[in-house]
């Protein structure tokens, strides 16, 4: 049986049936355009036989587009009503029973995923997008690549290069795991209700080799947080709180790492921050 997609009329009917009023808090702007969900799946290079984890499936429009490729899905949904209905919707649209597993949980709190997925696909609201992505990258090392739809401001920050206006702590922390790039714009008109902000697609691939162990990651992230806590401060001042306690001690560690004490956090790459963390023990 061929998997079919949700249409705008059915999405509205499902929302009414479940008494779901789209809320800003949960980011419930449902995608009602079949071409858009197929585009997301195409850009994410989802292939038959792959296991995908989808965060925030909502009523299932993107879920069905993933399943249409022949991939299987582990769907993580925080809204109990939506989680309970998703399998029924999938079955009605031709999805084999063993192709979809629904996890009724908060994505920020889960530490294991059925099916050991290797691809992440998500449509994430503004307030949790970065924490969810970083939690999944940290917790599930088998995730090799992914495509996420987020508000433009979030996407631009995740993919920002050093020195750009929006480069910040989320940019560096995401880069710890591998490269992130903007992968397309999403029209406001494909959502119901129509949001008042723009959305983008962001694609990522995990590096073949990790930059370091968990201890080094935590140390690096503490340094990143300190560097961006007060933007435009020289590193010898901004990092003194985590590098010895004084500007002089911070300068010595920075010089040992090959980083100018007068540089600013927004100029540094993730590898610069890693060298600083390593120099702490030197």
């Amino acid at each position: 049986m061929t998997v079919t997609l949700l249409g705008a009329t059915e999405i509205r009917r499902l929302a009414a049936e479940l008494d779901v009023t789209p809320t800003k808090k949960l980011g419930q702007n449902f995608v009602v355009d079949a071409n858009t969900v197929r585009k997301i799946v195409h850009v994410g290079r989802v292939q038959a036989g792959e296991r995908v984890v989808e965060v925030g499936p909502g009523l299932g429009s993107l879920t069905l587009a993933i399943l249409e490729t022949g991939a299987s899905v582990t769907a993580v949904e925080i809204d109990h009503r939506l989680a309970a209905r998703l399998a029924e919707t999938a079955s009605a649209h031709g999805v084999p029973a063993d192709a979809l597993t629904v996890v009724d949980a908060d994505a920020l709190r889960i530490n294991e995923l059925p099916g050991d997925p290797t691809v992440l696909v998500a449509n994430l609201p503004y307030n949790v997008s970065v924490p969810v992505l970083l939690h999944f990258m940290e917790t599930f090392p088998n995730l090799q690549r992914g495509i996420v739809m987020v508000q433009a401001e979030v996407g631009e920050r995740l993919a920002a290069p050093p020195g750009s206006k929006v480069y910040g702590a989320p940019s560096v922390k995401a880069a710890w795991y591998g490269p992130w790039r903007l992968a397309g714009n999403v029209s406001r008109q494909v959502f119901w209700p129509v949001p008042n902000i723009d959305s983008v697609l962001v694609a990522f691939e995990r590096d073949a080799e990790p930059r370091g162990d968990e201890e080094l990651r935590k140390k690096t992230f503490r340094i990143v947080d300190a560097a961006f806590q007060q933007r435009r401060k020289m590193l010898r001042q901004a990092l003194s709180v985590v590098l010895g306690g004084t500007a002089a001690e911070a300068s010595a560690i920075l010089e040992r790492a090959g980083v100018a004490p007068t540089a600013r956090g927004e100029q540094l790459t993730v590898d610069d921050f890693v060298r600083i963390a390593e120099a702490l023990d030197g």
Side-chain angles (χ1 to χ4, degrees), residues 26-191:
L26 294 180
Q28 288 171 329
N29 294 91
F30 300 114
V31 181
V32 296
D33 178 68
N35 288 331
T36 298
V37 291
R38 283 188 171 125
K39 172 187 173 182
I40 293 169
V41 171
H42 175 72
V43 174
R45 308 195 323 273
V46 177
Q47 305 292 321
E50 290 187 309
R51 187 80 189 194
V52 177
V53 57
E54 183 192 6
V55 182
L59 293 167
S61 55
L62 181 54
T63 315
L64 292 173
I66 300 168
L67 291 161
E68 184 185 39
T69 68
S72 55
V73 174
T74 298
V76 181
E77 175 56 60
I78 192 172
D79 187 313
H80 305 310
R81 297 165 299 174
L82 299 177
R85 188 63 166 79
L86 189 57
E88 184 181 336
T89 300
S91 177
H93 282 263
V95 175
D98 60 351
L100 173 66
T101 302
V102 181
V103 178
D104 183 347
D106 182 345
L108 281 168
R109 297 181 181 277
I110 61 173
N111 293 304
E112 56 184 13
L113 287 171
D116 200 17
T118 59
V119 182
L120 171 67
V121 177
N123 172 15
L124 296 171
Y126 180 87
N127 58 327
V128 298
S129 47
V130 171
V132 164
L133 289 170
L134 293 178
H135 173 66
F136 268 62
M137 295 303 289
E138 174 192 337
T139 309
F140 305 113
N142 284 333
L143 290 175
Q144 297 304 308
R145 68 176 197 280
I147 185 83
V148 296
M149 180 162 57
V150 291
Q151 286 190 17
E153 178 187 337
V154 175
E156 287 163 4
R157 182 160 292 226
L158 282 168
S164 64
K165 190 166 69 171
V166 294
Y167 185 70
S171 321
V172 183
K173 291 178 180 180
W176 166 272
Y177 300 103
W180 298 64
R181 62 180 177 86
L182 293 175
N185 298 315
V186 181
S187 167
R188 299 183 187 189
Q189 304 308 313
V190 305
F191 294 98

